[in-house]
Amino acid sequence: MPRILMTGASGGIGTSLRKLLPPVYPDLVLSDIEPPADLARDETFKAADLGDLAQVEAICEGVDGILHFGGYSVEGPWDAILQSNIIGCYNLFEAARRKGVKRVVFASSNHAVGFYPRHHRIGPDVTGRPDSRYGVSKLFGEGMGSLYADKHGLRVTCLRIGNFGDKPIDHRRLSIWLKPEDLVQLCRIGLEHADIRFEILYGASFNERAWWDNSRAYDLGYRPTGKAEDFREHAMAEQAKLPPDPVGDYYQGGAFCGMEFDGDASGIVKWT
Ligand code: 15L
């Protein structure tokens, strides 16, 4: 039975996967800086600060595969991103190598490529166009995964996650929604599929309005069951409550693109 370590166990995705993963991976070790408030007696938790390599090495002991959801999950000040997502991500891959972990699934993000316009269909091999310091840190993580796969034989899957949740919450999320059970499928591909060396896959369900070519995930057996369009009315009603965002509404990364934007928004269509 493989021992799987999940970082970020107290965060949004971690909280949901804590419930969905145990039937698949009964030997699941949860980690975060602080334990989840509702940690159950039958859950195994090991605290670690990703910024401390010795602590990260300790939680990697005896582990076969890692689901790395830890770190800063939105745009933030550079110091916070640096600690959690640059130094923390380096520590995670280096600790995995030192401890002989075989596989890592890294939670990348759509914000690694958020400055692609919405009409532009992209695959996993496009040049990064990060929309934030957070997006840059996700490209760094993908780079770490690629390096450790090529140089050290670690099997790495980077998931450019769209928007994880029970349903799409606005117009943009109709294109990038990821149902929790579909993320479990992607994690399983990363942890188990024999052909994985280094992959970038999109973390999205079966969304009619998808901007992403996720055919590689389908080739590896991904069969998402979530359909964003089933929640169209809800998403559009929520969208109607939002103010227009000339920058965010044009690009895939949405509000992350508009944040701190100080260019000339009227020229956007001409430049891209
Ligand atoms: C992400 O990467 C974030 O972690 C999440 O909080 C959402 O902002 C999501 O992207 C999104 O783009 O909707």
Side-chain angles (χ1 to χ4, degrees), residues 88-257:
C89 184
Y90 170 81
N91 287 347
L92 189 283
F93 278 103
E94 177 59 11
R97 182 189 72 80
R98 291 186 189 183
K99 293 295 174 183
V101 177
K102 296 177 198 72
R103 293 182 184 240
V104 171
V105 175
F106 168 63
S108 183
S109 166
N110 72 90
H111 296 291
V113 288
F115 262 123
Y116 279 96
R118 295 186 185 190
H119 61 261
H120 196 138
R121 187 172 168 83
I122 57 173
D125 50 358
V126 291
T127 303
R129 284 182 82 171
D131 57 25
S132 48
R133 293 174 288 278
Y134 167 69
V136 171
S137 76
K138 292 299 178 182
L139 283 175
F140 173 81
E142 292 182 4
M144 283 296 296
S146 176
L147 173 65
Y148 276 61
D150 285 336
K151 195 161 271 193
H152 305 299
L154 193 65
R155 296 175 180 226
V156 179
T157 305
C158 301
L159 302 177
R160 284 185 183 158
I161 298 176
N163 190 257
F164 175 89
D166 292 334
K167 53 185 163 200
I169 52 174
D170 58 19
H171 177 247
R172 173 174 166 267
R173 271 59 173 250
L174 285 172
S175 298
I176 66 167
W177 176 55
L178 177 60
K179 180 180 164 178
E181 287 79 2
D182 292 341
L183 177 56
V184 172
Q185 275 197 49
L186 291 167
C187 291
R188 292 193 69 172
I189 289 169
L191 291 173
E192 297 173 32
H193 200 292
D195 294 346
I196 299 287
R197 293 292 180 275
F198 174 76
E199 298 286 347
I200 295 175
L201 308 176
Y202 284 93
S205 288
F206 186 63
N207 304 330
E208 264 176 43
R209 304 172 193 229
W211 302 316
W212 304 326
D213 174 0
N214 212 12
S215 46
R216 178 64 182 148
Y218 286 79
D219 288 349
L220 291 166
Y222 183 46
R223 297 291 178 269
T225 58
K227 291 185 182 142
E229 227 51 32
D230 290 349
F231 303 94
R232 196 184 86 85
E233 271 180 37
H234 167 79
M236 295 312 272
E238 291 302 307
Q239 180 67 38
K241 298 176 192 165
L242 300 172
D245 174 353
V247 179
D249 291 345
Y250 185 73
Y251 293 110
Q252 297 188 6
F256 282 58
C257 298

Side-chain angles (χ1 to χ4, degrees), residues 22-80:
V24 188
Y25 301 115
D27 193 359
L28 182 67
V29 178
L30 308 174
S31 184
D32 211 307
I33 296 190
E34 298 285 345
D38 61 343
L39 189 72
R41 278 168 172 271
D42 61 352
E43 289 182 303
T44 306
F45 178 82
K46 294 184 182 177
D49 177 351
L50 290 171
D52 182 324
L53 180 56
Q55 289 185 32
V56 185
E57 273 192 62
I59 58 169
C60 288
E61 194 71 60
V63 162
D64 299 296
I66 300 175
L67 299 172
H68 182 41
F69 293 111
Y72 217 78
S73 66
V74 287
E75 179 60 319
W78 172 242
D79 278 350

